[in-house]
Amino acid sequence: MKKKIVIIGGGFGGMNLAKNLAGVKGIEVVLVDRNNYNYFPPLIYQVASSFIEPSNISYPFRKMFQGKDNVRFYQGTFLSVDVEQNSVQTSEGNLNYDYLVFAQGTQPNYFGLSSISEKALPLKNINDALKIRNTILNNMEQACKTSDAAERRKLMTFVIAGGGPTGVELSGMLSEMNRNIRKKDYPELANDPMHVYLVDAAHTLLGTMSQKSQQETLASLTELGVNIKLSVAVKNFKDDVVYLSNEEQITAKTLIWVSGVIANEAKGLPETAVLKNKRIAVNEFNLVTGTTNVFAIGDICYQDTDKAFPNGHPQVAQVAIQQGTLLGKNFKKIINGKQLKPFRYADKGSMAIISKYKAVAELPVGFFKGFIAWWLWLVIHILPIAGFKNKVKLVCSWLWNFISNDPTLRLIIHPQKQQAEKVKTADNKN
């Protein structure tokens, strides 16, 4: 009889696992995800800044697995697991399994700050990116209409909390937008620049990268006009004011939160398997502690059996990709009664783009910065995009946008219900 493998989450880990099991005899795969598409998280900041279309970095699961008779997609949200009954409860019903794999990644970590979680804009998925895009463009439209200088400055001020790759890349894109687009699209704002603040509690940007990368990034963003505030944390956001831990206040309409993540909760697992940060403890084969047929891969798991990473692996895409690929091979070994291979992470380096023609890259072959690093960043980020057509579309979009400095994607698109509510609110005010 076929062994049924249920995969929760279609990100880097889940997608690569499903791909490796596609067409394998004796295995039935059910991929569960709340969205009906896979997307490429490293580039969602470019969607948020109106640089590329969401469809450039997204691909439908059902299209991906056309012709793969042993792989099925199931749209739904994970709720809990019953490890005794080998059953998963989702928002759309229950699924039985022989083997279960958690691969649903992380969510924003607000560190218990309720005002931040309620009012700040996270950037974790396509929906978040579109909301940020709408907010930025709406703010600029409103700024064009107001004659109040203080209100206009609030609308044109954007605070980004988090100095990791996403915070650095987004602040660079907003600065480029300020330089190249503001005066052309918004002549009313010719004398009212955008004010971009990048705030981080650490003493440096890109904390996981080398000092060379950190210094190059700091210098480049400062040159672009980004207001960088280090060794200080965002503590509150209310009444259009961002409050910092050093008692400083920044008046702004928009706070974008990219300051850390926490694992998505996996209800129903043994208490010994779930750590304080909600990550799931696994062994060298990604088998969840205290279980015999439940696995976890990617950002959601914590694995300390890799000698090179005794404190666990970094929560980056390459770890999820490699764990998904290896687990797929190990499932084939399980079916055939062969010995499993333990996971060992092959670190392929780190990189971050700063602005047009500027980036930093730390690869096994050496350190690069400037144009060479920028070019390498483009090539490396094209390769994992799902679908050949998406790769071509993305290359063409990048080519035109970098040449023209004027992408044409600045569209404010609200769902019909949201737009109706907006009109109703305006009517009530009148």
Side-chain angles (χ1 to χ4, degrees):
M1 292 180 63
K2 287 186 176 182
K3 295 296 183 180
K4 185 176 181 180
I5 300 174
V6 174
I7 304 170
I8 308 296
F12 286 120
M15 180 185 69
N16 278 276
L17 172 57
K19 280 185 172 181
N20 274 273
L21 295 176
V24 177
K25 293 182 178 180
I27 290 178
E28 176 188 353
V29 178
V30 179
L31 179 62
V32 181
D33 199 289
R34 69 184 63 187
N35 300 310
N36 75 328
Y37 56 87
N38 167 270
Y39 66 95
F40 190 67
L43 292 180
I44 57 174
Y45 79 93
Q46 292 197 7
V47 175
S49 53
S50 305
F51 202 72
I52 60 175
E53 286 279 16
S55 59
N56 290 156
I57 58 170
S58 308
Y59 203 78
F61 288 120
R62 292 190 178 276
K63 171 69 173 176
M64 186 181 297
F65 294 109
Q66 279 183 1
K68 309 299 182 183
D69 293 337
N70 70 323
V71 180
R72 290 290 180 267
F73 171 68
Y74 186 95
Q75 186 172 12
T77 301
F78 167 80
L79 298 178
S80 65
V81 58
D82 186 333
V83 295
E84 298 296 330
Q85 298 298 321
N86 289 344
S87 176
V88 170
Q89 182 183 5
T90 77
S91 58
E92 304 301 319
N94 295 348
L95 294 169
N96 295 322
Y97 63 84
D98 293 299
Y99 297 97
L100 175 65
V101 182
F102 285 101
Q104 72 267 50
T106 59
Q107 59 182 311
N109 186 357
Y110 298 105
F111 306 100
L113 300 171
S114 58
S115 63
I116 303 297
S117 64
E118 292 169 3
K119 298 179 181 178
L121 300 177
L123 183 53
K124 278 293 293 178
N125 53 47
I126 295 293
N127 291 333
D128 292 341
L130 290 175
K131 187 172 183 178
I132 290 175
R133 184 178 82 175
N134 284 344
T135 299
I136 293 170
L137 298 178
N138 272 319
N139 281 12
M140 297 184 79
E141 292 294 342
Q142 291 300 314
C144 290
K145 299 182 183 78
T146 182
S147 57
D148 185 327
E151 181 69 11
R152 191 160 55 247
R153 184 182 176 93
K154 278 197 294 186
L155 288 162
M156 296 291 286
T157 299
F158 302 90
V159 181
I160 301 169
T166 302
V168 165
E169 291 165 346
L170 183 58
S171 60
M173 290 294 274
L174 290 182
S175 297
E176 291 278 3
M177 187 176 182
N178 181 49
R179 281 189 171 192
N180 301 318
I181 294 170
R182 172 177 52 90
K183 292 182 180 180
K184 290 188 291 187
D185 269 20
Y186 307 92
E188 303 94 328
L189 303 176
N191 298 318
D192 295 283
M194 295 170 67
H195 304 277
V196 180
Y197 289 82
L198 182 57
V199 182
D200 197 281
H203 68 280
T204 183
L205 300 173
L206 301 178
T208 60
M209 298 184 73
S210 69
Q211 190 174 6
K212 286 183 179 179
S213 293
Q214 294 166 356
Q215 291 174 344
E216 175 70 15
T217 301
L218 180 63
S220 297
L221 288 180
T222 301
E223 183 182 346
L224 281 170
V226 178
N227 300 287
I228 300 172
K229 296 186 177 296
L230 301 174
S231 301
V232 60
V234 174
K235 288 298 183 183
N236 203 352
F237 180 41
K238 65 178 182 179
D239 300 327
D240 298 337
V241 178
V242 178
Y243 294 86
L244 306 183
S245 58
N246 63 354
E247 306 302 326
E248 186 178 352
Q249 300 177 12
I250 304 173
T251 303
K253 285 281 188 182
T254 307
L255 170 63
I256 299 173
W257 189 263
V258 290
S259 184
V261 294
I262 190 169
N264 282 305
E265 189 172 4
K267 291 182 179 179
L269 287 179
E271 291 184 6
T272 55
V274 183
L275 307 178
K276 289 183 179 180
N277 57 5
K278 295 186 179 180
R279 292 180 78 175
I280 302 171
V282 299
N283 68 5
E284 66 270 32
F285 308 115
N286 285 91
L287 180 68
V288 175
T289 300
T291 71
T292 59
N293 61 345
V294 181
F295 297 79
I297 57 177
D299 292 352
I300 199 172
C301 81
Y302 178 81
Q303 185 181 63
D304 58 7
T305 55
D306 191 337
K307 292 182 179 180
F309 299 88
N311 297 316
H313 299 107
Q315 291 171 293
V316 295
Q318 271 300 320
V319 173
I321 291 171
Q322 293 177 32
Q323 287 182 337
T325 300
L326 179 63
L327 185 56
K329 294 177 180 178
N330 277 340
F331 270 129
K332 298 172 191 176
K333 294 179 184 293
I334 290 174
I335 297 300
N336 294 309
K338 296 182 178 180
Q339 186 174 357
L340 305 186
K341 182 179 179 180
F343 180 73
R344 297 289 181 267
Y345 175 47
D347 190 353
K348 297 187 177 181
S350 303
M351 48 180 31
I353 197 167
I354 304 168
S355 63
K356 183 179 178 181
Y357 305 143
K358 289 186 179 181
V360 288
E362 297 172 10
L363 305 177
V365 294
F367 170 77
F368 302 91
K369 67 177 183 178
F371 180 79
I372 294 177
W374 178 81
W375 184 82
L376 288 170
W377 186 97
L378 296 181
V379 172
I380 290 174
H381 280 73
I382 280 288
L383 298 177
I385 297 292
F388 177 76
K389 186 178 179 180
N390 276 5
K391 289 181 173 67
V392 173
K393 286 165 60 180
L394 187 56
V395 168
C396 292
S397 293
W398 274 347
L399 182 63
W400 170 254
N401 293 340
F402 285 128
I403 291 174
S404 68
N405 283 328
D406 193 10
T408 57
L409 305 178
R410 293 181 291 281
L411 309 176
I412 302 172
I413 302 176
H414 293 293
Q416 188 173 1
K417 182 178 179 182
Q418 185 177 342
Q419 187 66 29
E421 289 176 351
K422 189 175 179 181
V423 173
K424 184 177 179 181
T425 301
D427 290 339
N428 290 337
K429 287 182 180 180
N430 295 331

